């Protein structure tokens, strides 16, 4: 970033209540999340990412489905379509094609994005439509009581795997790259500044951008795995994460997370931008196609 | 150079005692008040302005502002 651009950028230290006035539409009373939930932290980072990009909130549209995160969009002044479970990518694709001026996001949970909506997710990535998919990964289905999901780390205890999850977990970032996403990044709520910058970079990216946000659920996942407080889970993310630097090989960036309480594995999650690739965007390709077909006809 | 001072305001109605702020605060500026264990400011003068409490509060209850007089100085 040039010195001038840095100078003109909105102040990253703007106090929270100023941001709330600009971007959030707060109902009276508390959030509907559990006390200490990572979604409140992720939401704060998302609002700061809007501020960092100086976005006009009326030009932001988001799509969502079912899950704990589903109320998040209702706390923003942005436009929102609450679609059916797992279909947020399909809804967002429609919104972006209908009005390319909009900044389109999908706010999804891991169960919504990768289990029930897995098919929509991989095909949105394949088409490289200019949307940003933000997947809040809390290692399970939080809204329905903490059942196992495709992202539950192997060996961890959930409602429906009381003796430990026997299956291998998805690596959502690896899946996104395999499906053809042009921007893939991972961050956690325990690294709020990094999360804000990553979200801002993903929203500004032209093409399909995927951000996996590791967001704790200490009530349903942490409590069953020896981390009953929000702070325990934040410390878990801080200890088990490493930033994607030159010292980390490409093989180390990906891999299914394995939960071993006394294990030797130091790093489970490599954070940062894991993949970037310029590819033709679907909206532009369709515009070209339209011009070619109509031009031939006339 | 004079140390910059910060004003921390905590909205008690929003705080839900998750304990993230006072556990993450390195200089122990924040503490908790029994019986509800809501966050309170103990020693405001020790605040370094890192804003981790504000960035990590899941209920958006904490706001950290530089004191106006210090900004002008």
């Amino acid at each position: 970033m040039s010195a001038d651009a840095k100078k003109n950028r909105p102040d990253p230290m703007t106090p929270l209540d100023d941001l709330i006035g600009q971007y959030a539409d707060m109902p009276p009373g508390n959030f509907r999340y559990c006390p200490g939930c990572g979604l409140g932290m992720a939401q704060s980072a998302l609002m700061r990412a809007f501020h960092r990009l100086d976005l006009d909130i009326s030009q932001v549209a988001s799509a969502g489905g079912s899950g704990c995160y589903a109320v998040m969009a209702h706390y923003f002044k942005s436009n929102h379509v609450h679609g059916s479970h797992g279909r947020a990518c399909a809804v967002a694709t429609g919104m972006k094609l209908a009005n390319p001026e909009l900044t389109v996001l999908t706010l999804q949970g891991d169960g919504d994005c990768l289990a029930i909506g897995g098919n929509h997710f991989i095909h949105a990535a394949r088409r490289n439509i200019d949307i940003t998919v933000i997947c809040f990964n809390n290692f399970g289905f939080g809204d329905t009581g903490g059942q196992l999901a495709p992202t539950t780390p192997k060996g961890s205890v959930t409602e429906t795997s009381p003796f430990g999850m026997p299956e291998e977990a998805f690596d959502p970032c690896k899946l996104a790259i395999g499906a053809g996403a042009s921007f893939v990044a991972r961050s956690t709520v325990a690294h709020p500044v990094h999360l804000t910058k990553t979200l801002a970079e993903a929203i500004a990216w032209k093409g399909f951008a995927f951000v996996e946000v590791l967001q704790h659920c200490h009530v349903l996942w942490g409590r069953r795995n020896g981390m009953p407080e929000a702070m325990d889970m934040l410390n878990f993310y801080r200890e088990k994460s490493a930033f994607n630097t030159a010292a980390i090989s490409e093989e180390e960036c990906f891999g299914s997370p394995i939960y071993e309480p006394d294990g030797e594995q130091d790093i489970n999650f490599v954070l940062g931008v894991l993949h970037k690739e310029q590819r033709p965007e679907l909206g532009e390709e369709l515009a070209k196609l339209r011009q070619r077909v109509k031009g031939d006809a006339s | 150079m004079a140390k910059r001072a910060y004003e921390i305001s905590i909205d008690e109605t929003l705080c839900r005692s998750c304990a993230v702020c006072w556990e993450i605060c390195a200089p122990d500026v924040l503490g908790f008040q029994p019986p509800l264990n809501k966050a309170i400011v103990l020693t405001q003068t020790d605040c370094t302005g890192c804003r981790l409490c504000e960035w990590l509060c899941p209920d958006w209850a904490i706001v950290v502002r530089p004191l106006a007089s210090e900004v002008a100085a």
Side-chain angles (χ1 to χ4, degrees), chain A residues 6-89:
Chain A
K6 253 187 180 168
K7 215 175 177 182
N8 297 331
R9 189 176 77 185
D11 179 16
M13 288 298 175
T14 307
L16 186 69
D17 46 0
D18 294 354
L19 296 177
I20 291 175
Q22 202 176 344
Y23 296 106
D25 184 12
M26 301 294 290
N30 297 107
F31 284 133
R32 289 188 189 171
Y33 317 131
C34 307
C37 178
L39 281 170
M41 303 172 187
Q43 187 173 356
S44 172
L46 184 58
M47 187 168 68
R48 284 171 206 279
F50 290 158
H51 179 66
R52 192 180 168 86
L53 295 171
D54 210 4
L55 283 183
D56 176 6
I57 193 77
S58 64
Q59 290 300 304
V60 177
S62 58
S66 303
C68 292
Y69 69 88
V71 289
M72 181 182 283
H74 302 280
Y75 295 128
F76 283 126
K77 282 179 183 161
S78 62
N79 310 288
H80 182 65
V81 175
H82 198 123
S84 49
H85 198 356
R87 273 66 183 166
C89 286

Side-chain angles (χ1 to χ4, degrees), chain A residues 161-202:
Chain A
S161 60
F163 304 107
M165 170 76 162
E167 305 164 10
E168 292 270 343
F170 259 147
D171 180 341
C173 291
K174 201 174 176 181
L175 177 73
I177 294 172
S182 55
F183 179 100
V184 176
R186 187 190 283 132
S187 190
T188 84
V189 290
H191 304 83
V193 180
H194 180 258
L195 176 59
T196 304
K197 288 181 178 173
T198 309
L199 287 174
E201 198 177 344

Side-chain angles (χ1 to χ4, degrees), chain A residues 153-167:
Chain A
K154 188 177 183 182
S156 65
V157 175
T158 68
E159 171 91 23
T160 44
S161 60
F163 304 107
M165 170 76 162
E167 305 164 10

